[in-house]
Amino acid sequence: MPASSLYIGLMSGTSLDGVDGVLADFSGRGIRTLQAAFTPFPAALRKELMALQAASENELEREALAANALARCYAECVQQLLAQAPGPVRAVAVHGQTIRHRPELGFTRQTNNPALLAELTGVDVIADFRTRDIAAGGQGAPLVPAFHEARFGKPKTVRVVVNIGGIGNISVLHGDGRVSGYDTGPGNVLMDLWVARHTGKAYDEDGAFAASGKVDEQLLEILLDEPYFRQPPPKSTGRDLFHAEWLDGKLAQHTGLASADVQATLTRLTAVSIARAIQAETADKPAQAVYVCGGGAYNGVLLRDIEAALGGGIPVRSTEELGVAPNRVEALAFAWLGYQFTRRRPGNLPAVTGAKGLRVLGALYPA
């Protein structure tokens, strides 16, 4: 009996809002998304995952307990998708929740309990995708560019796929087999932090709070004066750098701004850092279009800011135009990485991560 072509991909990102899941089919008729599901994190779990981003009391035990709670959230999402599957699912591919990312020290930590997830779902689980790339000298991130090329690449067409979750990253699909990309800096992480602090909302819906303010150019220059933005690729980042203390330190250099003006400036920061990265990577041949996925794709102000920062000549669109809803792309990417693992095919791109070579990514936890 041939192995099933159905996989479930799970992604919980830097925004810490919950887990996105997709049921994907890799039967040879393209990469198809059959179903999608979302399971929000309970408030207590989100708070604990946020706290585990930094050193704290009794963190080993607390992380283990958080991993168990996280696996139960994953299992809930998986059960929703299994109920809609037209046949047996070959494997669940799960990213885990990044709580530390320090490739310069040779490690990254995605908390998870894949063994418990396999036990709860009765399906093989493939997890721990980033550490193999880091072991080979890479950044372990971003891992989505290889998938972006497989799903969105088009011969003789330069396309840029921008994922805007908590952190922003770009994949430049050069149309000749080459792919470049890296983490550009903050995506939604600082905008979410600021809007939560001043309005109590989890995020700035469609950029409404930013739209009510004005960009402060002096603050923007202070924010852009961050060594990471000048660092050459390969590079990756996360909450280890772009966090509340980083933002407050920058704001202390330019005080007295209205909260809405700060929000507008943080939105522009994300847009400008993404646009500059795109321009640097497409200097020899401009992109014909930029396609945005992740939560940032639903922020109209941010998309307009990116288009303006690019000079207005390159259309900025949603990946919906390429057949994949923005909030499904990352989960689908990890389903694809699970598919690559079962075929013993590489999932990384050394030109992106800096690894010494192509590597099969992931570890198997049989049901």
Side-chain angles (χ1 to χ4, degrees):
M1 184 176 182
S4 172
S5 62
L6 301 179
Y7 288 74
I8 288 174
L10 301 177
M11 179 67 192
S12 52
T14 316
S15 295
L16 289 168
D17 54 347
V19 52
D20 288 298
V22 298
L23 174 67
D25 183 6
F26 299 96
S27 61
R29 291 172 288 174
I31 301 170
R32 297 190 300 143
T33 304
L34 303 183
Q35 302 289 343
F38 176 75
T39 300
F41 285 155
L45 176 59
R46 186 180 191 278
K47 182 179 179 181
E48 185 69 335
L49 290 171
M50 187 72 78
L52 287 167
Q53 304 285 325
S56 52
E57 182 74 19
N58 196 27
E59 62 182 333
L60 288 178
E61 180 175 326
R62 288 168 51 210
E63 188 207 343
L65 294 174
N68 288 347
L70 185 62
R72 292 188 174 93
C73 281
Y74 288 152
E76 183 180 332
C77 192
V78 169
Q79 295 296 353
Q80 292 180 55
L81 294 168
L82 289 175
Q84 303 174 80
V89 169
R90 176 77 181 273
V92 173
V94 56
H95 172 261
Q97 185 65 50
T98 300
I99 57 172
R100 305 288 166 84
H101 184 66
R102 300 296 301 275
E104 73 281 8
L105 298 178
F107 81 92
T108 188
R109 180 73 177 179
Q110 284 73 47
T111 193
N112 189 10
N113 188 340
L116 178 58
L117 181 58
E119 189 68 28
L120 293 172
T121 61
V123 181
D124 286 0
V125 172
I126 303 165
D128 192 22
F129 290 95
R130 298 193 185 276
T131 56
R132 186 67 181 89
D133 185 84
I134 286 182
Q139 291 283 310
L143 295 183
V144 290
F147 166 75
H148 288 162
E149 171 68 9
R151 179 60 181 81
F152 302 129
K154 183 179 179 181
K156 300 180 181 179
T157 303
V158 182
R159 288 174 169 173
V160 178
V161 181
V162 182
N163 177 65
I164 308 177
I167 297 298
N169 58 67
I170 61 169
S171 300
V172 182
L173 316 178
H174 293 274
D176 56 7
R178 293 181 300 126
V179 180
S180 57
Y182 46 87
D183 287 351
T184 57
N188 299 314
V189 62
L190 300 178
M191 293 186 284
D192 289 353
L193 186 159
W194 190 254
V195 79
R197 184 184 290 182
H198 289 275
T199 73
K201 297 179 179 178
Y203 61 96
D204 186 10
E205 186 172 356
D206 199 27
F209 188 34
S212 71
K214 288 180 61 178
V215 173
D216 185 282
E217 295 295 338
Q218 185 175 344
L219 175 60
L220 181 61
E221 288 306 310
I222 290 169
L223 295 168
L224 286 166
D225 187 25
E226 160 55 51
Y228 181 82
F229 297 127
R230 299 187 293 274
Q231 181 182 327
K235 60 180 181 178
S236 58
T237 189
R239 287 183 184 271
D240 303 81
L241 173 59
F242 295 106
H243 45 52
E245 290 76 12
W246 182 92
L247 177 57
D248 290 339
K250 297 289 187 180
L251 291 174
Q253 300 176 46
H254 186 51
T255 60
L257 294 179
S259 58
D261 292 347
V262 174
Q263 186 72 14
T265 309
L266 292 174
T267 304
R268 185 67 56 84
L269 168 69
T270 292
V272 169
S273 57
I274 288 170
R276 288 181 177 179
I278 292 171
Q279 289 166 333
E281 292 299 310
T282 59
D284 57 337
K285 190 175 181 182
Q288 290 164 273
V290 172
Y291 297 93
V292 182
C293 59
Y298 300 97
N299 184 331
V301 171
L302 177 58
L303 297 193
R304 289 191 291 274
D305 274 5
I306 295 172
E307 194 164 78
L310 286 169
I314 303 172
V316 176
R317 303 164 174 164
S318 160
T319 54
E320 190 84 58
E321 292 200 16
L322 298 178
V324 185
N327 60 348
R328 298 180 181 181
V329 173
E330 278 203 293
L332 185 58
F334 280 89
W336 180 82
L337 285 168
Y339 174 63
Q340 291 291 92
F341 174 89
T342 58
R343 297 192 301 164
R344 295 299 183 266
R345 293 187 178 180
N348 67 334
L349 290 175
V352 171
T353 67
K356 287 180 255 185
L358 296 167
R359 297 291 187 269
V360 177
L361 307 180
L364 176 64
Y365 293 77

